[in-house]
């Protein structure tokens, strides 16, 4: 089978790496992909916002399956347009992707199906939002309603911070004028991944990422500076509780609405004293969490993704390596703010050993030389008997990479190591 993978980040490189090992695969294409993925896939220059071009490419190359990595094409309805053209794809429909695209949509489902989440109110006017804020006080969480690349959320410890966040949202900084004001939840954060074929749910694994830019989890939020899997705090009992009380009712809700959820469902949880509560859903694999899930996966990824699209997940199980995996993101100085592009990266041709994999994100080739092209540039991933061992291996590899304009956190995994 020929497969087209959409996306160009570290997540997609990890997916390409796993897909390329599939006995079902004939040829793998990636659009637009990145230079690291060229080892596993043929890179195609396609504008992924032009769904007609993707359909035409799929017909030309006899693509049997399209795997969509990032959220933007899902929310834009790429999977719907592929389906209309008779092309099978992995990922939820535009309607179902609202679980990620609209916080309000998700909150309404939580209310209607009794799913544990933070108390909230949705507001469409600054006056109404301010009045509610006065009533509930700080600490409080203010979220823009819509996709804001992780930047639309303010955890406000004071009323002044909360007020400023509201002013930003209603000035249209995140493209809309609607917000969710949410109860501040206290507890450890963990990510729980499942596959859903619309009816059946297959739990995958757990992970934790580090969202803040600086050591000790300080500074502004980023897309993720590193991650590890499994998340030690997600015991089997907590996974079951999250599955029964959060994930399964959500999958039922979408089915009840006539839009079954097919794809990976990534639940962002906070483990409160009263049990796991949902803080957000993502309608795609996590980045950088995928970079730690894929090296631990013992079964064939393509088989799992096809069964998700075909509605046959009840016939499958999934096995994971006992080892832990940890990934460190190498970023361009300035990230998550202003960055420069075109900075040289050297040392990637060396052999880092069997338990280390370097997944590319924001890289490109300029005159045959590998240079940076984004904020998050490389994901150095290692397996180990424990998180601590994986961490030591990952940093040993990081230290052998020459990226003078880069920086990274030195403490990825600290929570799991103690
Ligand atoms: P989100 O984009 O909704 O995942 O929010 C980004 C980050 O803000 C999360 O990863 C949490 O660290 C934090 N956060 C979001 N909602 C809450 C909440 N209700 N209580 C505490 N922290 C939160
Ligand atoms: N690592 C967070 C995310 O993928 O949304």
């Amino acid at each position: 089978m020929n497969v087209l993978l959409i996306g160009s980040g570290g997540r997609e490189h990890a997916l390409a790496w796993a897909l390329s090992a599939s006995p079902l695969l004939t040829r793998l294409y990636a659009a637009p992909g990145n230079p690291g993925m060229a080892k596993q896939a043929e890179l195609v220059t396609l504008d992924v916002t032009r769904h007609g071009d993707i359909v035409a490419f799929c017909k030309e190359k006899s693509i049997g399956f399209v795997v969509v990595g990032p959220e933007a094409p899902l929310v834009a309805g790429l999977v719907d347009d592929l389906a209309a053209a008779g092309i099978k794809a992995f990922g939820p429909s535009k309607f179902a992707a609202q679980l990620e695209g609209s916080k309000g949509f998700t909150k309404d489902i939580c209310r209607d199906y009794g799913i544990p989440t933070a108390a909230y109110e949705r507001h469409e006017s600054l006056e109404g939002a301010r009045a509610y804020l006065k009533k509930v006080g700080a600490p409080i969480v203010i979220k823009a309603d819509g996709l804001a690349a992780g930047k639309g959320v303010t955890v406000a410890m004071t009323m002044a911070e909360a007020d400023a966040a509201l002013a930003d949202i209603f000035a249209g900084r995140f493209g809309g004028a609607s917000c969710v004001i949410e109860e501040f939840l206290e507890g450890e954060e963990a990510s729980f991944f499942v596959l859903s074929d619309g009816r059946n749910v297959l739990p995958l694994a757990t992970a934790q990422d580090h969202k803040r830019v600086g050591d000790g989890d300080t500074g502004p939020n980023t897309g993720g500076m590193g991650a590890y899997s499994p998340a030690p705090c997600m015991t089997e009992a907590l996974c079951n509780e999250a599955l029964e009380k959060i994930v399964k009712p959500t999958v039922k809700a979408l089915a009840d609405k006539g839009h079954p959820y097919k794809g990976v469902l990534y639940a962002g949880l906070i483990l409160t004293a009263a049990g796991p509560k949902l803080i957000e859903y993502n309608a795609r694999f996590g980045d950088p969490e995928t970079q730690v899930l894929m090296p631990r996966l013992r079964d064939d990824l393509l088989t799992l993704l096809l069964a998700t699209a075909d509605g046959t997940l009840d016939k499958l199980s999934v096995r994971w390596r006992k080892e832990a995996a940890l990934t460190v993101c190498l970023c361009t100085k300035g990230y998550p703010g202003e960055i420069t592009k075109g900075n040289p990266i050297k040392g990637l041709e060396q052999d880092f050993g069997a338990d280390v994999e370097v997944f590319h994100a924001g890289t490109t080739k300029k005159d045959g030389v590998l240079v940076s092209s984004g904020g998050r540039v490389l994901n150095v991933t290692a397996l180990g008997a424990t998180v601590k061992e994986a961490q030591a291996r990952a940093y040993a590899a990081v230290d052998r990479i020459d990226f003078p304009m880069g920086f990274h956190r030195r403490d990825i995994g600290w929570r799991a190591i103690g």
Side-chain angles (χ1 to χ4, degrees):
M1 168 182 283
N2 292 337
V3 175
L4 170 64
L5 172 61
I6 306 287
S8 64
R11 163 184 51 216
E12 286 76 25
H13 190 184
L15 292 173
W17 178 81
L19 288 170
S20 68
S22 175
L24 303 179
L25 184 75
T26 311
R27 282 187 96 143
L28 181 62
Y29 297 89
N34 65 42
M37 290 161 80
K39 258 194 205 160
Q40 291 89 20
E42 191 174 313
L43 307 187
V44 212
T45 328
L46 273 177
D47 177 349
V48 299
T49 64
R50 294 168 65 110
H51 298 181
D53 291 2
I54 297 179
V55 168
F57 177 83
C58 289
K59 297 218 156 129
E60 186 196 321
K61 299 289 185 187
S62 307
I63 301 291
F65 194 45
V66 178
V67 177
V68 183
E71 61 275 22
L74 297 169
V75 171
L78 176 58
V79 171
D80 309 62
D81 291 340
L82 289 169
I87 300 160
K88 196 188 289 185
F90 175 80
S93 65
K94 180 176 181 160
F95 184 95
Q98 287 182 83
L99 276 183
E100 171 161 5
S102 167
K103 304 237 182 233
F105 176 85
T106 302
K107 285 295 192 181
D108 291 347
I109 287 179
C110 290
R111 180 195 59 210
D112 296 344
Y113 286 78
I115 295 167
T117 185
Y120 81 106
E121 271 198 17
R122 189 173 174 180
H123 285 277
E124 266 146 33
S125 82
L126 181 57
E127 296 69 40
R130 280 202 170 131
Y132 180 66
L133 179 62
K134 274 217 182 86
K135 200 171 84 190
V136 292
I140 191 82
V141 183
I142 313 273
K143 303 186 175 188
D145 196 7
L147 284 182
K151 289 173 193 137
V153 176
T154 304
V155 179
M157 301 315 283
T158 65
M159 289 297 272
E161 280 174 86
D163 233 15
L166 286 181
D168 262 4
I169 290 173
F170 287 97
R173 207 180 126 200
F174 303 103
S178 169
C179 77
V180 168
I181 301 184
E182 192 172 288
E183 170 197 2
F184 171 74
L185 296 178
E186 202 151 9
E188 197 162 337
E189 237 177 295
S191 306
F192 182 45
F193 296 86
V194 308
L195 291 175
S196 162
D197 66 8
R199 279 179 310 126
N200 308 294
V201 175
L202 182 65
L204 292 178
T206 60
Q208 281 180 296
D209 75 343
H210 293 265
K211 291 204 165 71
R212 303 299 191 108
V213 74
D215 281 7
D217 293 327
T218 54
N221 265 343
T222 68
M225 296 297 291
Y228 49 95
S229 173
C233 60
M234 281 296 283
T235 59
E236 204 179 318
L238 284 173
C239 285
N240 281 332
E241 194 176 341
L243 190 63
E244 296 303 325
K245 292 191 179 159
I246 298 175
V247 171
K248 284 187 179 171
T250 305
V251 168
K252 179 170 186 320
L254 271 294
D256 289 348
K257 290 180 192 294
H259 295 276
Y261 188 93
K262 294 181 168 206
V264 59
L265 189 55
Y266 156 2
L269 306 173
I270 291 192
L271 308 179
T272 72
K277 293 194 179 185
L278 180 74
I279 40 168
E280 65 161 356
Y281 272 128
N282 293 308
R284 40 131 188 119
F285 280 104
D287 189 344
E289 291 90 334
T290 309
Q291 292 86 306
V292 287
L293 291 189
M294 292 305 121
R296 294 190 56 232
L297 178 63
R298 287 174 57 201
D299 288 302
D300 179 39
L301 178 66
L302 186 49
T303 302
L304 288 164
L305 302 189
L306 280 167
T308 304
D310 288 340
T312 54
L313 276 179
D314 52 334
K315 301 193 172 57
L316 291 185
S317 58
V318 60
R319 292 166 305 159
W320 300 91
R321 285 185 183 232
K322 287 264 179 294
E323 290 101 317
L326 182 140
T327 190
V328 180
C329 297
L330 305 198
C331 304
T332 308
K333 281 178 190 158
Y335 177 76
E338 293 271 307
I339 53 143
T340 57
K341 295 183 180 181
N343 305 295
I345 305 158
K346 293 198 193 99
L348 290 185
E349 52 303 318
Q350 56 190 310
D351 180 11
F352 293 104
D355 290 324
V356 175
E357 218 37 71
V358 179
F359 297 117
H360 289 226
T363 66
T364 191
K365 282 252 168 97
K366 203 169 107 192
D367 306 324
V369 177
L370 191 73
V371 297
S372 65
S373 63
R376 291 191 292 178
V377 177
L378 296 170
N379 303 267
V380 181
T381 308
L383 284 165
T386 58
V387 173
K388 190 171 178 176
E389 197 178 298
Q391 185 198 51
R393 274 196 192 134
Y395 280 115
V398 166
D399 291 339
R400 289 165 63 190
I401 296 172
D402 181 20
F403 178 31
M405 267 306 278
F407 79 97
H408 57 273
R409 280 182 59 167
R410 290 305 296 187
D411 63 345
I412 300 302
W414 67 267
R415 227 180 257 284
I417 291 165

